[in-house]
């Protein structure tokens, strides 16, 4: 009994001594450092955290001043992470097909998305199950090819066709593209004869290198080739008439068209957007929590403000032919600073479209919280926030 009481006493003494030592340590360090459960306010603090210095954020590039790859039927330019290192997950390209031009059958290690800017074309696709689709596209239409789907694009009508393309791989380039002429030109004629059941001499006429975009005869818009189109059902089709749809957002400042997998089911890795801004209008400050954004200026002049990682801010003005890459979760806004309307086309690398906005937060957060965040009286934040518009018109 005595030994038990002695043990309890010694344990209690040890605990008390430890507590006293901790209290003394705490008292000697009035900087908010915790000792056990004892904490206090810091005796020295900063009113605000100084901004970090660092290298400027480069998030834009000129797609239409990049290297050109041209053959008899047209040309293409591209911008990848090699030229724009921040663009790790999306690459972009500009494709131009002469009247009568055809981009030969090929496939990629990445998926391909495109917006037809002008002209008409016929797209032919064959998937891994041997299902074929031949569809005609015009300005405002999209195509999407999952990776590995063999496809070709041929101009219809007397005017050229050009499109803005995006790929769900920032390093997309020729290294990940497989073309039919390049492939077949490397085989011996007897091997192709055996594989395809055609006489060897037939393959003598095959070019000995990649044709890429070949010039051919002009196909009439209402000719037999155009009428031979045969589309697949909504769930499997590779075509979507984006600009024929009602915009997701429409305000006095402009419109936003969106084509996610909900609207365009086969587009499982990229969501397409077309943003039109009236003079002085702005796509309000926002961020995308689950997607990177790549966009290209078709028309007008825009100013993009980026709040990037490491708390850095960058501002760039873009003209037609230039593109921007916004990493996921980086806040940004797009403002039309030109004398006329602006038009931007782009993609996000997610099948769904989600957007978080500054105005939404300011409108829905309690006033006392905002007052605390900014260190001002509640009356100073009473009017913060408004009905969210997404596209804000020019102030009147």
């Amino acid at each position: 009994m005595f030994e038990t009481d002695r043990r309890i006493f010694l344990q209690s003494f040890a605990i008390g001594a430890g507590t006293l030592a901790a209290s003394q340590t705490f008292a000697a360090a009035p900087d908010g450092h915790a000792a056990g459960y004892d904490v206090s306010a810091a005796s020295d603090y900063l009113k605000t955290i100084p901004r970090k210095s660092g290298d400027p954020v480069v998030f834009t590039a000129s797609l239409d001043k990049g290297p050109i790859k041209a053959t008899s039927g047209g040309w293409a330019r591209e911008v990848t992470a090699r030229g724009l290192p921040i663009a790790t997950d999306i690459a972009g390209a500009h494709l131009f097909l002469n009247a009568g031009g055809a981009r030969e059958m090929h496939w990629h290690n990445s998926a391909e998305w495109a917006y037809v800017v002008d002209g008409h074309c016929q797209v032919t696709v064959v998937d891994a199950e041997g299902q074929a689709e031949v569809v005609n596209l015009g300005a405002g239409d999209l195509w999407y090819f999952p990776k590995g789907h063999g496809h070709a694009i041929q101009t219809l009508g007397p005017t050229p066709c050009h499109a803005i393309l995006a790929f769900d791989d920032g390093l997309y380039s020729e290294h990940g593209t497989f073309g039919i002429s390049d492939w077949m030109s490397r085989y011996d004629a007897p091997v192709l004869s055996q594989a395809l059941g055609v006489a060897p001499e037939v393959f003598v006429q095959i070019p000995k290198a990649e044709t890429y975009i070949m010039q051919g005869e002009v196909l009439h818009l209402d000719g037999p080739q155009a009428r031979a189109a045969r589309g697949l059902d909504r769930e499997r089709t590779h075509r979507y008439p984006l600009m024929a749809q009602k915009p997701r957002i429409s305000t006095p400042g402009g419109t936003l068209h969106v084509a996610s997998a909900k609207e365009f089911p086969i587009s499982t890795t990229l969501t397409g957007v077309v943003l039109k801004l009236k003079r002085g209008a702005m796509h309000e400050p926002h961020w995308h929590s689950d997607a990177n954004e790549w966009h290209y200026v078709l028309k007008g002049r825009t100013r993009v403000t980026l709040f990037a990682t490491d708390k850095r801010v960058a501002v760039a003005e873009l003209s037609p032919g230039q593109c921007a890459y916004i990493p996921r979760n980086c806040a940004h806004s797009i403002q039309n600073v030109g004398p006329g309307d602006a038009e931007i086309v782009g993609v996000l690398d997610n099948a769904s479209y989600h957007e978080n906005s500054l105005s939404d937060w300011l409108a829905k957060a309690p006033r006392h919280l905002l007052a605390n965040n900014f260190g001002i009286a509640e009356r100073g934040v009473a009017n913060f926030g408004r009905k969210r518009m997404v596209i804000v018109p020019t102030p009147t």
Side-chain angles (χ1 to χ4, degrees):
M1 179 71 178
F2 175 79
E3 184 61 27
T4 301
D5 292 340
R6 180 175 177 275
R7 231 178 6 252
I8 293 172
F9 172 79
L10 291 175
Q11 290 171 352
S12 300
F13 179 81
I15 293 171
T19 302
L20 178 60
S23 300
Q24 291 173 341
T25 301
F26 176 75
D31 62 351
H33 179 72
Y37 291 104
D38 295 328
V39 294
S40 70
S43 59
D44 188 18
Y45 63 90
L46 300 172
K47 185 174 182 180
T48 59
I49 304 298
R51 291 172 177 162
K52 294 181 180 180
S53 59
D55 295 333
V57 182
V58 178
F59 67 99
T60 66
S62 178
L63 172 56
D64 287 356
K65 289 184 179 179
I68 191 169
K69 181 177 179 180
T71 51
S72 63
W75 54 261
R77 300 178 188 269
E78 66 182 26
V79 59
T80 72
R82 292 178 181 84
L84 185 61
I86 197 173
T88 56
D89 294 285
I90 305 173
H94 193 166
L95 175 67
F96 183 91
L97 302 175
N98 299 337
R103 175 69 172 98
E104 65 173 326
M105 194 279 279
H106 62 289
W107 66 100
H108 315 282
N109 278 332
S110 57
E112 174 182 323
W113 173 99
Y115 176 83
V116 179
V117 176
D118 196 19
H120 296 81
C121 64
Q122 185 173 85
V123 164
T124 301
V125 194
V126 180
D127 64 22
E129 297 178 352
Q131 182 72 60
E133 180 175 43
V134 180
V135 284
N136 301 334
L137 288 79
D141 291 344
L142 307 180
W143 74 61
Y144 179 90
F145 309 130
K147 59 183 177 181
H149 283 206
H151 57 277
I153 305 105
Q154 186 169 15
T155 302
L156 291 176
T159 60
C161 177
H162 71 108
I164 302 303
L165 284 61
F167 305 85
D168 60 1
D169 176 5
L171 288 175
Y172 158 81
S173 189
E174 294 306 307
H175 82 284
T177 299
F178 308 91
I180 190 172
S181 62
D182 189 30
W183 185 28
M184 291 182 63
S185 68
R186 295 167 188 257
Y187 271 93
D188 292 333
V191 177
L192 289 176
S193 175
Q194 179 183 353
L196 303 176
V198 179
E201 54 268 23
V202 171
F203 302 105
V204 173
Q205 301 299 320
I206 291 179
K208 301 307 178 186
E210 180 186 17
T211 60
Y212 193 57
I213 304 172
M214 179 66 81
Q215 185 63 48
E217 295 182 2
V218 174
L219 302 181
H220 296 291
L221 279 172
D222 59 351
Q225 297 91 345
R227 293 196 299 269
R230 53 188 188 280
L232 297 175
D233 61 44
R234 178 183 179 276
E235 296 299 316
R236 295 179 297 167
T237 185
H238 299 79
R239 170 186 177 267
Y240 183 71
L242 175 60
M243 299 310 289
Q245 313 303 314
K246 181 179 178 181
R248 178 173 293 195
I249 301 294
S250 182
T251 78
T255 58
L256 176 66
H257 283 78
V258 176
S260 66
K262 180 179 179 181
E263 295 82 17
F264 190 16
I266 202 169
S267 187
T268 56
T269 65
L270 296 168
T271 287
V273 295
V274 174
L275 174 66
K276 294 185 177 184
L277 296 173
K278 299 290 186 181
R279 181 179 178 181
M282 173 194 295
H283 188 180
E284 65 175 342
H286 65 283
W287 69 96
H288 305 289
S289 58
D290 54 8
N292 302 289
E293 175 184 326
W294 179 90
H295 72 245
Y296 172 93
V297 177
L298 280 173
K299 180 182 178 182
R301 186 167 183 82
T302 64
R303 178 183 294 129
V304 181
T305 301
L306 174 70
F307 183 39
T309 54
D310 293 323
K311 302 178 182 179
R312 294 178 294 169
V313 171
V315 181
E317 291 195 3
L318 283 74
S319 298
Q322 295 183 298
C323 61
Y325 184 88
I326 314 294
R328 67 174 53 86
N329 279 314
C330 290
H332 58 286
S333 60
I334 305 171
Q335 185 178 11
N336 180 359
V337 294
D341 292 352
E343 185 172 354
I344 301 101
V345 58
V347 296
L348 290 88
D349 58 351
N350 195 302
S352 301
Y353 184 87
H354 300 118
E355 180 178 313
N356 303 280
S357 80
L358 175 62
S359 67
D360 214 23
W361 170 258
L362 293 177
K364 295 177 180 177
R367 301 301 92 178
H368 60 268
L369 174 63
L370 295 178
N372 176 280
N373 288 175
F374 297 116
I376 58 180
E378 283 193 38
R379 63 179 179 275
V381 298
N383 296 323
F384 273 27
R386 49 175 166 71
K387 182 180 179 181
R388 188 180 176 199
M389 298 188 71
V390 181
I391 300 174
V392 186
T394 308
T396 56

